[in-house]
Short mmCIF file of all heavy atoms in Angstrom, two decimals:
data_model
loop_
_atom_site.label_atom_id
_atom_site.label_comp_id
_atom_site.label_asym_id
_atom_site.label_seq_id
_atom_site.Cartn_x
_atom_site.Cartn_y
_atom_site.Cartn_z
N VAL N 247 12.90 55.28 27.62
CA VAL N 247 12.13 56.38 28.20
C VAL N 247 12.68 56.76 29.57
O VAL N 247 12.78 57.94 29.92
CB VAL N 247 10.64 56.01 28.30
CG1 VAL N 247 9.86 57.05 29.11
CG2 VAL N 247 10.03 55.87 26.91
N GLY N 248 13.06 55.76 30.37
CA GLY N 248 13.54 56.01 31.72
C GLY N 248 15.03 56.23 31.83
O GLY N 248 15.55 56.49 32.93
N SER N 249 15.76 56.12 30.70
CA SER N 249 17.22 56.25 30.68
C SER N 249 17.86 55.34 31.73
O SER N 249 18.62 55.79 32.61
CB SER N 249 17.64 57.72 30.94
OG SER N 249 17.10 58.55 29.95
N LEU N 250 17.55 54.06 31.64
CA LEU N 250 18.11 53.08 32.57
C LEU N 250 18.19 51.72 31.90
O LEU N 250 17.68 51.53 30.80
CB LEU N 250 17.26 52.98 33.84
CG LEU N 250 15.96 52.15 33.79
CD1 LEU N 250 15.50 51.82 35.19
CD2 LEU N 250 14.87 52.85 33.03
N GLU N 251 18.88 50.79 32.56
CA GLU N 251 18.97 49.42 32.06
C GLU N 251 18.24 48.51 33.03
O GLU N 251 18.63 48.37 34.18
CB GLU N 251 20.43 48.99 31.94
CG GLU N 251 20.61 47.64 31.28
CD GLU N 251 22.07 47.30 31.05
OE1 GLU N 251 22.81 47.16 32.05
OE2 GLU N 251 22.48 47.19 29.88
N ILE N 252 17.17 47.90 32.54
CA ILE N 252 16.37 47.01 33.38
C ILE N 252 16.85 45.57 33.24
O ILE N 252 17.00 44.85 34.22
CB ILE N 252 14.87 47.13 33.01
CG1 ILE N 252 14.37 48.56 33.32
CG2 ILE N 252 14.03 46.10 33.78
CD1 ILE N 252 12.96 48.85 32.84
N ILE N 253 17.11 45.15 32.01
CA ILE N 253 17.59 43.78 31.77
C ILE N 253 18.98 43.85 31.15
O ILE N 253 19.14 44.21 29.98
CB ILE N 253 16.62 42.99 30.87
CG1 ILE N 253 15.26 42.85 31.56
CG2 ILE N 253 17.19 41.62 30.54
CD1 ILE N 253 14.24 42.06 30.81
N ASP N 254 19.98 43.53 31.95
CA ASP N 254 21.38 43.55 31.53
C ASP N 254 21.65 42.28 30.70
O ASP N 254 21.55 41.16 31.22
CB ASP N 254 22.27 43.58 32.77
CG ASP N 254 23.74 43.68 32.44
OD1 ASP N 254 24.13 43.31 31.32
OD2 ASP N 254 24.51 44.12 33.32
N PRO N 255 22.03 42.43 29.41
CA PRO N 255 22.26 41.24 28.58
C PRO N 255 23.43 40.39 29.05
O PRO N 255 23.49 39.20 28.72
CB PRO N 255 22.54 41.84 27.19
CG PRO N 255 22.92 43.26 27.44
CD PRO N 255 22.19 43.68 28.67
N PHE N 256 24.33 40.96 29.85
CA PHE N 256 25.47 40.18 30.35
C PHE N 256 25.07 39.37 31.59
O PHE N 256 25.59 38.27 31.81
CB PHE N 256 26.64 41.11 30.66
CG PHE N 256 27.19 41.80 29.45
CD1 PHE N 256 26.89 43.12 29.19
CD2 PHE N 256 27.97 41.10 28.54
CE1 PHE N 256 27.38 43.76 28.05
CE2 PHE N 256 28.47 41.72 27.40
CZ PHE N 256 28.17 43.05 27.15
N LYS N 257 24.15 39.91 32.38
CA LYS N 257 23.68 39.17 33.55
C LYS N 257 22.62 38.14 33.19
O LYS N 257 22.50 37.10 33.84
CB LYS N 257 23.08 40.15 34.58
CG LYS N 257 24.10 40.99 35.32
CD LYS N 257 23.41 41.87 36.35
CE LYS N 257 24.42 42.71 37.11
NZ LYS N 257 23.75 43.65 38.06
N TYR N 258 21.85 38.45 32.15
CA TYR N 258 20.73 37.57 31.76
C TYR N 258 20.84 37.23 30.27
O TYR N 258 19.95 37.56 29.48
CB TYR N 258 19.39 38.25 32.05
CG TYR N 258 19.31 38.91 33.42
CD1 TYR N 258 19.25 40.30 33.54
CD2 TYR N 258 19.29 38.15 34.58
CE1 TYR N 258 19.17 40.91 34.78
CE2 TYR N 258 19.23 38.75 35.83
CZ TYR N 258 19.16 40.13 35.91
OH TYR N 258 19.10 40.74 37.15
N PRO N 259 21.92 36.56 29.85
CA PRO N 259 22.12 36.29 28.42
C PRO N 259 21.05 35.39 27.80
O PRO N 259 20.64 35.61 26.65
CB PRO N 259 23.50 35.62 28.37
CG PRO N 259 23.72 35.08 29.76
CD PRO N 259 23.02 36.03 30.68
N ALA N 260 20.60 34.39 28.54
CA ALA N 260 19.58 33.49 28.00
C ALA N 260 18.25 34.22 27.82
O ALA N 260 17.54 34.02 26.82
CB ALA N 260 19.40 32.28 28.92
N THR N 261 17.92 35.08 28.78
CA THR N 261 16.69 35.87 28.67
C THR N 261 16.79 36.83 27.49
O THR N 261 15.82 37.01 26.74
CB THR N 261 16.46 36.68 29.97
OG1 THR N 261 16.39 35.77 31.07
CG2 THR N 261 15.18 37.49 29.89
N TYR N 262 17.95 37.45 27.31
CA TYR N 262 18.14 38.40 26.23
C TYR N 262 18.01 37.71 24.87
O TYR N 262 17.40 38.25 23.94
CB TYR N 262 19.51 39.06 26.37
CG TYR N 262 19.64 40.34 25.60
CD1 TYR N 262 19.05 41.52 26.07
CD2 TYR N 262 20.36 40.39 24.41
CE1 TYR N 262 19.16 42.71 25.37
CE2 TYR N 262 20.48 41.58 23.70
CZ TYR N 262 19.88 42.73 24.18
OH TYR N 262 19.99 43.90 23.47
N THR N 263 18.56 36.50 24.74
CA THR N 263 18.44 35.73 23.50
C THR N 263 16.97 35.38 23.25
O THR N 263 16.47 35.49 22.13
CB THR N 263 19.28 34.44 23.58
OG1 THR N 263 20.65 34.80 23.76
CG2 THR N 263 19.14 33.61 22.32
N TRP N 264 16.28 34.95 24.32
CA TRP N 264 14.85 34.64 24.19
C TRP N 264 14.06 35.86 23.74
O TRP N 264 13.16 35.75 22.89
CB TRP N 264 14.30 34.14 25.54
CG TRP N 264 12.81 34.17 25.57
CD1 TRP N 264 11.95 33.25 25.03
CD2 TRP N 264 11.98 35.18 26.18
NE1 TRP N 264 10.64 33.64 25.24
CE2 TRP N 264 10.64 34.81 25.95
CE3 TRP N 264 12.25 36.35 26.89
CZ2 TRP N 264 9.57 35.58 26.40
CZ3 TRP N 264 11.19 37.12 27.35
CH2 TRP N 264 9.87 36.73 27.10
N MET N 265 14.38 37.04 24.29
CA MET N 265 13.67 38.27 23.90
C MET N 265 13.77 38.48 22.39
O MET N 265 12.77 38.80 21.73
CB MET N 265 14.26 39.48 24.64
CG MET N 265 13.91 39.52 26.12
SD MET N 265 14.91 40.74 27.05
CE MET N 265 14.35 42.28 26.31
N ASN N 266 14.96 38.29 21.85
CA ASN N 266 15.15 38.46 20.41
C ASN N 266 14.42 37.39 19.61
O ASN N 266 13.82 37.69 18.57
CB ASN N 266 16.65 38.44 20.07
CG ASN N 266 17.34 39.73 20.50
OD1 ASN N 266 16.84 40.82 20.26
ND2 ASN N 266 18.50 39.61 21.13
N ASN N 267 14.46 36.15 20.09
CA ASN N 267 13.74 35.07 19.41
C ASN N 267 12.24 35.36 19.37
O ASN N 267 11.58 35.16 18.34
CB ASN N 267 13.97 33.73 20.13
CG ASN N 267 15.38 33.20 19.95
OD1 ASN N 267 16.06 33.56 18.99
ND2 ASN N 267 15.81 32.37 20.87
N PHE N 268 11.71 35.84 20.48
CA PHE N 268 10.27 36.08 20.58
C PHE N 268 9.84 37.25 19.70
O PHE N 268 8.92 37.13 18.89
CB PHE N 268 9.87 36.34 22.03
CG PHE N 268 8.38 36.46 22.22
CD1 PHE N 268 7.60 35.33 22.37
CD2 PHE N 268 7.77 37.70 22.24
CE1 PHE N 268 6.22 35.43 22.53
CE2 PHE N 268 6.39 37.83 22.40
CZ PHE N 268 5.61 36.68 22.54
N VAL N 269 10.52 38.38 19.85
CA VAL N 269 10.09 39.59 19.16
C VAL N 269 10.28 39.49 17.64
O VAL N 269 9.62 40.19 16.88
CB VAL N 269 10.83 40.82 19.74
CG1 VAL N 269 12.22 40.99 19.15
CG2 VAL N 269 10.00 42.09 19.56
N ASN N 270 11.16 38.59 17.21
CA ASN N 270 11.41 38.43 15.77
C ASN N 270 10.60 37.31 15.14
O ASN N 270 10.72 37.08 13.92
CB ASN N 270 12.90 38.21 15.51
CG ASN N 270 13.70 39.50 15.69
OD1 ASN N 270 13.36 40.52 15.10
ND2 ASN N 270 14.74 39.46 16.52
N ASN N 271 9.79 36.63 15.94
CA ASN N 271 8.87 35.65 15.36
C ASN N 271 7.88 36.39 14.45
O ASN N 271 7.29 37.39 14.88
CB ASN N 271 8.13 34.91 16.47
CG ASN N 271 7.13 33.91 15.93
OD1 ASN N 271 6.03 34.28 15.54
ND2 ASN N 271 7.50 32.65 15.93
N PRO N 272 7.67 35.95 13.21
CA PRO N 272 6.82 36.69 12.28
C PRO N 272 5.41 36.97 12.79
O PRO N 272 4.86 38.06 12.57
CB PRO N 272 6.78 35.79 11.04
CG PRO N 272 8.03 34.98 11.12
CD PRO N 272 8.28 34.77 12.58
N ILE N 273 4.81 36.01 13.48
CA ILE N 273 3.45 36.20 14.00
C ILE N 273 3.44 37.29 15.06
O ILE N 273 2.55 38.14 15.09
CB ILE N 273 2.89 34.88 14.56
CG1 ILE N 273 2.61 33.91 13.42
CG2 ILE N 273 1.62 35.12 15.38
CD1 ILE N 273 2.16 32.53 13.85
#
């Protein structure tokens, strides 16, 4: 929506991996 990058996956790779783990949990 804002046309920007808030969380850079290269600067925060562990956070980015966690984001995917969390959002893809079935519950």
Side-chain angles (χ1 to χ4, degrees):
V247 171
S249 300
L250 79 163
E251 186 174 64
I252 296 173
I253 298 182
D254 183 338
F256 296 103
K257 287 183 180 176
Y258 315 111
T261 302
Y262 199 76
T263 299
W264 164 79
M265 288 167 65
N266 286 315
N267 289 337
F268 186 84
V269 81
N270 287 307
N271 178 280
I273 290 175

